[in-house]
C-alpha cells in the first residue's frame, strides 16, 4: 500500500529526497491513519443518512 502511494507521489512531482526525509514508517502511519479516519467518516455519514431516511 505504501509503495503504491509513494510511486504516485513521485510521479506527480514530489522530490525523492523529501520522501526519504519523512521516512517510510511515518508515511505508513499517516496513510493508514487517513484511511481509517475516512472509513469512520463514511460510516458515520451513512448511519446519519439511514437515520434521516428512516
Amino acid at each position: 500500500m505504501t509503495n503504491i502511494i509513494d510511486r504516485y507521489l513521485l510521479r506527480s512531482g514530489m522530490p525523492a529526497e523529501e520522501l526519504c526525509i519523512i521516512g517510510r514508517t511515518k508515511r505508513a502511519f499517516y496513510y493508514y491513519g487517513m484511511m481509517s479516519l475516512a472509513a469512520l467518516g463514511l460510516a458515520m455519514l451513512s448511519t446519519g443518512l439511514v437515520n434521516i431516511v428512516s
Side-chain angles (χ1 to χ4, degrees), residues 7-54:
R7 275 187 275 154
Y8 169 75
L9 289 174
L10 289 171
R11 276 189 271 153
S12 64
M14 181 177 239
E17 296 85 21
E18 190 172 338
L19 284 177
C20 289
I21 290 170
I22 296 171
R24 182 176 173 81
T25 306
K26 288 181 186 176
R27 286 194 315 272
F29 277 121
Y30 175 76
Y31 299 153
Y32 290 120
M34 291 305 280
M35 281 181 22
S36 60
L37 283 176
L40 179 65
L42 288 173
M44 291 175 73
L45 180 66
S46 63
T47 303
L49 289 175
V50 168
N51 286 338
I52 290 172
V53 172
S54 298

